[in-house]
Amino acid sequence: MIHKININKLLLLVVITVVINACSVDKSPYDSIKGDDLNSSETGLEAATLGNYHRMKTWVTEWHILHEFPGDNMSVSGTTSDPLFFSYNYQRVPNSSRTTTYWTKSYEIIVGANKVIEAITEGESPVNDQFLAENYYLRALMHFQLVDIFGRPYNQGPDNLGVPLKLDADQNNHPLRSSVGEVYDQVEADLQKAITLFTAEKDNTFASKEACWALLSRLYLYREQYQQVIEYTDMVINSGKFALLATDRLAAYPTFKPEDNDETIFAVKLIPNVDYPDNGWYTVGSFYANFLGSGWGEMYASRSYLELIREYPEDVRNDFIEPVVLNEDVNWAIYVDNSSIYQWKEVVQDGDDYSYTENGQQITLTKEADGHGGYHYFIETAEGSKRVLIDRELDVRNGFPKYYVLKCSGQEGQAHLWSPVVSRLAEMYLNRAEAHANLGNNGQALADINLIRERAGIPAEGLYSESNLQGKTVLEAVLDERRLELAYEGHRKMDVFRNDQTMDRSYPGAHLLGNNPITEVAPDNRAIIEFIPEAQLLLQEGLEQNP
């Protein structure tokens, strides 16, 4: 497997390859966007702006992988030669094609935005000001998402190295890395500038004033400026332009095209058939599920996420997870042993009880009331008592029961078509809730997360109050709800580490295979940020690598 190759030899191979092919390698992503056909006419500027949106369609796969796979919501059911595995298991390498592609595509979009910005004189026409606004937003979004991956969380020190701030279209200008704080400041400045320039009302597949407010609320949350979080989330919520999907439509969220979804603030629009090569086999959704004849289906909902989401069977977000049932007539009690390996017993149901037969003896699972009308079940093993999840007999891959994730699939009837959401209204309530929790406004924080829980179908007894936090602090309740609501949308990794928490990965998955498995990732671990792509270091003198 790739992860067993001697890294020094691998780097030497990369260097040799770069030297041999030097004449065919771009100096940087900055010279890959040609501006010969760009002119200051509205038609030319519109075409260039649409081109920048179009580039995001090939950016989203790496964006999802690098933001979501290092979290704790999914588990890989086997090793793979795809370098995504190095990001998933925190065994990062400096020549990963995934991080290189992400870096390159992000800066291509930034340079594309800069070309439009440089071609427009502000105030000459409302149409051109609109293009300016949209491109300032795109530049801000790219820099912000880059610093998430290559720079440490803001609260670990704004002076830590961030990413290069590319603020012009000059292909010969190769900026070095700015600090995390400087990147945040520039993102803020670009978004605030954009807000003043919007002149048109477009649908949610284009940048908007509200999309800027939404991204600013996230930036201020990461920067721990909680009053500003409240201010900007209020602006989005009170704009009246967005509405939470109804409970009975929530599980269908990814199946709607963005324009038909009143909750989405900004999404990267993918179009049926047009943006669907190879029948969806190489889309993000194909990693998570196989259905309608498409998809690898090798990455499943993690055990820890399953235990959290199944706390309330009424929670319609359970429908984003699909256990792959082989036999409806057989029940399994699935548990995890001390080595974080899945085990299961075939059990028979009798009312609220489940039992299995072993060595001719019938053994009943232990049950404990869950506090809201149901039970948690446990099996007694030589290693101690283990919680079980009750399912039908499931399909299994490499010892991993298949729990498909459907949150990135199914748009407009195509198996794995998906228009990734950058911002949506539910995040605004959760950003505001976290801000209130950190300010000690517990009642307001709980009101916001209860709104999200109630929309998800959780019954009244499952809503929080200051006297009933189910053993959690208010902030813990908020972060758990963020995990439930925003799962598979690229938030979890940052939510854990920016809150100075440890990522608990002591659940079954291929990340625990090999000689040095990592079950916990501390927020100060060097591997929570990726290496700067080795190819970029070789091409750009003075660019500093992450330790």
Side-chain angles (χ1 to χ4, degrees), residues 95-358:
N95 60 337
S96 164
S97 63
R98 293 293 186 178
T99 53
T100 300
T101 298
Y102 181 68
W103 177 280
T104 300
K105 290 185 180 297
S106 298
Y107 279 108
E108 286 178 355
I109 296 166
I110 288 170
V111 172
N114 287 339
K115 285 183 177 293
V116 176
I117 292 169
E118 290 180 355
I120 295 175
T121 299
E122 181 184 334
E124 281 191 340
S125 79
V127 173
N128 284 358
D129 280 355
Q130 175 72 22
F131 295 142
L132 263 181
E134 292 180 39
N135 282 282
Y136 273 120
Y137 172 84
L138 294 177
R139 186 170 79 178
L141 177 63
M142 291 301 108
H143 279 128
F144 192 37
Q145 301 292 266
L146 279 163
V147 81
D148 277 356
I149 298 303
F150 298 105
R152 302 198 72 81
Y154 186 94
N155 64 350
Q156 294 187 12
D159 293 332
N160 284 318
L161 283 175
V163 294
L165 283 169
K166 180 63 175 171
L167 303 178
D168 58 48
D170 181 358
Q171 67 183 42
N172 296 312
N173 178 27
H174 302 157
L176 300 180
R177 296 176 70 181
S178 296
S179 70
V180 169
E182 288 168 337
V183 175
Y184 272 63
D185 288 346
Q186 185 63 51
V187 171
E188 180 184 22
D190 279 352
L191 292 172
Q192 294 288 8
K193 179 68 173 178
I195 288 167
T196 68
L197 293 168
F198 284 104
T199 60
E201 293 288 337
K202 297 185 178 182
D203 65 45
N204 57 12
T205 64
F206 294 91
S208 66
K209 181 167 55 178
E210 293 77 21
C212 291
W213 293 342
L215 196 59
L216 279 166
S217 80
R218 191 188 305 173
L219 178 144
Y220 292 134
L221 186 66
Y222 289 8
R223 211 156 63 177
E224 300 181 350
Q225 294 175 281
Y226 299 123
Q227 290 293 353
Q228 287 94 325
V229 176
I230 294 168
E231 177 185 353
Y232 280 87
T233 53
D234 280 350
M235 290 164 69
V236 177
I237 292 166
N238 296 333
S239 72
K241 294 185 177 181
F242 310 99
L244 295 175
L245 281 184
T247 303
D248 61 0
R249 300 181 73 213
L250 178 57
Y253 201 113
T255 71
F256 303 117
K257 62 181 180 180
E259 307 96 306
D260 291 345
N261 192 326
D262 290 338
E263 185 167 334
T264 297
I265 299 168
F266 178 67
V268 181
K269 181 180 179 178
L270 274 69
I271 300 171
N273 300 314
V274 175
D275 301 313
Y276 199 64
D278 303 307
N279 196 33
W281 273 90
Y282 296 95
T283 60
V284 168
S286 71
F287 295 137
Y288 290 124
N290 175 283
F291 66 99
L292 298 179
S294 178
W296 306 101
E298 297 176 354
M299 302 175 184
Y300 312 134
S302 70
R303 173 66 181 218
S304 62
Y305 183 76
L306 289 170
E307 290 187 7
L308 187 65
I309 191 65
R310 289 193 173 187
E311 186 65 25
Y312 290 90
E314 305 93 335
D315 190 335
V316 299
R317 295 171 297 193
N318 277 289
D319 292 339
F320 289 126
I321 310 300
E322 182 179 280
V324 183
V325 176
L326 289 183
N327 190 339
E328 291 279 0
D329 298 323
V330 175
N331 293 316
W332 276 4
I334 304 173
Y335 62 100
V336 178
D337 66 18
N338 283 2
S339 299
S340 293
I341 295 174
Y342 274 118
Q343 306 286 349
W344 51 85
K345 299 283 188 182
E346 183 175 328
V347 293
V348 176
Q349 183 177 8
D350 181 12
D352 292 328
D353 292 322
Y354 291 88
S355 62
Y356 64 96
T357 301
E358 189 167 83

Side-chain angles (χ1 to χ4, degrees), residues 5-6 47 52 60-61 73 167 195 207 214 255 302 348 371 375 401 433 437 442 454 464 469 471 506 544-545:
I5 292 176
N6 183 282
N52 293 331
V60 293
T61 297
N73 292 330
L167 303 178
I195 288 167
T255 71
S302 70
V348 176
Y375 296 95
N442 292 343
E454 189 171 22
Y464 294 113
L469 286 170
S506 55
E544 189 172 343
Q545 181 60 283

Side-chain angles (χ1 to χ4, degrees), residues 36-51:
D36 299 340
D37 58 348
L38 177 63
N39 56 64
S40 58
S41 72
E42 291 178 359
T43 301
L45 295 169
E46 180 180 26
T49 300
L50 291 174

